[in-house]
Amino acid sequence: MVRLITHNLLACHAKGCTSNNFPLQLKDVQVELRDAEYNADFLRGFISRIEWPALVDAARQLGDTSLPNEPPEMMDDDFLQKLHHVLLEIHIEEGAMICPNCAHVYPISNGIPNMLLAEHEIG
Amino acid sequence: MIPTPDLSHLSRGDYDHVYEPAEDTFLLLDALEQDATELLRSRPLICLEIGSGSGCVSSFHSFSNYPPVYISTDINLHACRCTRRTGLQNKIPIDSILTSLTGALMHRLSHAVDVLLFNPPYVPTYSDEADDAQHDAGIAGAWAGGADGMQITNTVLQQVEPTADQSVQSLLSPTGRFYLVAVKENDVPGIRQRMLDEHRLQSQIVLQRRAGREHLFVVRFSRG
Ligand SMILES: C[S@@+](CC[C@H](N)C(=O)[O-])C[C@H]1O[C@@H](n2cnc3c(N)ncnc32)[C@H](O)[C@@H]1O
Ligand SMILES: [Zn+2]
């Protein structure tokens, strides 16, 4: 599955594509919502590993506008609940991710992103 | 005792295309179980399994009280599907990605992987055989390891931790641990020495076991 947490960790890795290769743009995506177990400690710990603007942007593209432009200093429960939902409960099942730099298309099918490259595209 | 993951949803037909959990898989599970207390104490956030096959290892509840993010990769699409299903079956959300080794993750997971797992294709074969198996991305890719059985593993060893000149990226977080399955033919002492000399990574043999003709090891690497 491609949750937004996963999307936040994937970058284009085609040969020579080393800058502006993240975040991948979402295209024609179909989304499913699934409940995940809430764990505030995990979220507080994980926030340092997130590229925040990329997450906010991806969520907005999918119609979720609950996250602020900057992560707040006070991470109260209300904020963490929203973060939890965006990171872990939105699953992209179908669609594609496109590199903003080289336009390489990575399809998503049955919740599995195909990040394979053809032989000549491997760096 | 941590229960072995439920694999009842997988059938013979699946194992025609995907590596069926075997002694090497179970040795890795036993090693993770043995380290469970320490692993839990280190509060891992990101766990990455390369070559997840059936998904048996990523679905193992060794950190059950503190859910990290489980990401898995495989070059075999059937394996990616099985991994995802095995995660669902065992109530562990695994982000199963179709890619070779750490492709597409290297950029963002630089210094971010807390637990790295790899049970590689480790059987010594002709180099061509390993190349073909990688290309076909089918069941032979589960075992065909090329020269010394190290052709695929060597690439990963280069990605775990930078060399002294810092020229390559690195996966492990400051407290990260890397668990590697190997067989005797892979030259385990040689691997450990090389990781120490070139990457300054300490290592321990967590477990070893003879299973039929194979002498299996699980080696754990960390910054000491
Ligand atoms: C020995 S099996 C281990 C499967 C599973 N982790 C287990 O322990 O039962 C090796 C796995 O690595 C996968 N593999 C081989 N080459 C790979 C590559 N270049 N990138 C990702 N996975 C690969 C195979 O498809 C296979 O699923
Ligand atoms: Zn690109």
Side-chain angles (χ1 to χ4, degrees):
Chain A
M1 63 210 147
V2 187
R3 300 179 291 179
L4 290 191
I5 197 168
T6 331
H7 172 260
N8 204 262
L9 298 176
L10 293 171
C12 181
H13 60 127
K15 193 177 191 165
C17 191
T18 50
S19 61
N20 189 31
N21 56 346
F22 173 90
L24 301 173
Q25 290 156 0
L26 302 173
K27 184 154 181 277
D28 299 335
V29 295
Q30 290 170 31
V31 167
E32 268 177 38
L33 301 180
R34 284 194 215 116
D35 290 341
E37 208 174 306
Y38 175 72
N39 184 322
D41 280 349
F42 168 76
L43 293 165
R44 280 199 198 89
F46 199 81
I47 206 155
S48 64
R49 309 256 170 112
I50 298 173
E51 282 281 342
W52 190 259
L55 180 68
V56 173
D57 207 56
R60 288 185 187 163
Q61 281 183 51
L62 301 180
D64 187 305
T65 55
S66 64
L67 296 181
N69 286 336
E70 304 278 335
E73 277 175 23
M74 272 294 296
M75 292 195 233
D76 57 18
D77 214 51
D78 180 50
F79 165 72
L80 290 175
Q81 291 280 359
K82 286 174 182 155
L83 179 61
H84 168 75
H85 177 68
V86 167
L87 269 184
L88 303 172
E89 297 191 321
I90 305 177
H91 297 243
I92 304 170
E93 296 295 320
E94 303 290 330
M97 295 180 288
I98 299 170
C99 174
N101 184 43
C102 75
H104 196 288
V105 178
Y106 297 98
I108 300 171
S109 167
N110 291 309
I112 295 173
N114 181 348
M115 309 305 290
L116 291 174
L117 297 170
E119 228 113 298
H120 67 275
E121 297 163 334
I122 297 171
Chain B
M1 260 291 285
I2 307 172
T4 305
D6 178 2
L7 299 174
S8 60
H9 57 290
L10 299 180
S11 65
R12 261 297 98 228
D14 291 313
Y15 296 132
D16 286 343
H17 307 286
V18 177
Y19 189 75
E20 179 168 5
E23 288 298 333
D24 49 347
T25 317
F26 298 124
L27 191 68
L28 182 52
L29 295 189
D30 290 346
L32 292 173
E33 173 153 17
Q34 188 173 305
D35 280 6
T37 315
E38 266 179 77
L39 281 170
L40 203 58
R41 200 181 308 128
S42 73
R43 305 216 143 207
L45 292 171
I46 299 183
C47 177
L48 171 63
E49 182 182 14
I50 303 171
S52 58
S54 63
C56 184
V57 180
S58 282
S59 302
F60 190 57
H61 278 259
S62 40
F63 326 94
S64 48
N65 299 323
Y66 191 70
V69 179
Y70 295 92
I71 303 165
S72 69
T73 69
D74 209 294
I75 39 163
N76 176 338
L77 177 60
H78 293 287
C80 293
R81 290 194 181 132
C82 287
T83 296
R84 178 180 144 96
R85 284 165 60 206
T86 302
L88 292 171
Q89 181 83 2
N90 291 279
K91 307 210 161 41
I92 297 198
I94 304 171
D95 295 278
S96 174
I97 299 171
L98 178 63
T99 198
S100 181
L101 305 181
T102 58
L105 290 163
M106 210 56 210
H107 179 82
R108 284 280 292 123
L109 288 187
S110 180
H111 299 284
V113 178
D114 300 303
V115 182
L116 178 65
L117 307 170
F118 191 25
N119 177 8
Y122 53 64
V123 178
T125 62
Y126 289 112
S127 206
D128 285 354
E129 206 175 339
D131 290 343
D132 288 349
Q134 289 285 304
H135 179 264
D136 297 344
I139 189 71
W143 48 267
D148 303 324
M150 288 297 289
Q151 193 168 313
I152 292 86
T153 306
N154 275 337
T155 309
V156 172
L157 293 182
Q158 290 299 323
Q159 299 178 337
V160 172
E161 179 69 6
T163 45
D165 64 9
Q166 302 277 318
S167 60
V168 283
Q169 284 176 312
S170 110
L171 285 172
L172 286 191
S173 73
T175 56
R177 291 152 165 254
F178 168 36
Y179 292 85
L180 175 73
V181 176
V183 288
K184 195 160 195 204
E185 292 77 6
N186 299 152
D187 182 18
V188 174
I191 297 174
R192 296 179 61 196
Q193 191 64 45
R194 190 148 48 96
M195 291 305 272
L196 184 63
D197 294 346
E198 292 175 19
H199 305 277
R200 294 172 310 243
L201 283 186
Q202 311 280 337
S203 61
Q204 255 92 45
I205 294 176
V206 189
L207 282 176
Q208 54 178 308
R209 189 178 291 162
R210 280 199 180 77
R213 234 178 291 161
E214 286 185 338
H215 187 168
L216 291 157
F217 296 81
V218 175
V219 190
R220 180 186 64 223
F221 298 91
S222 67
R223 298 216 170 81

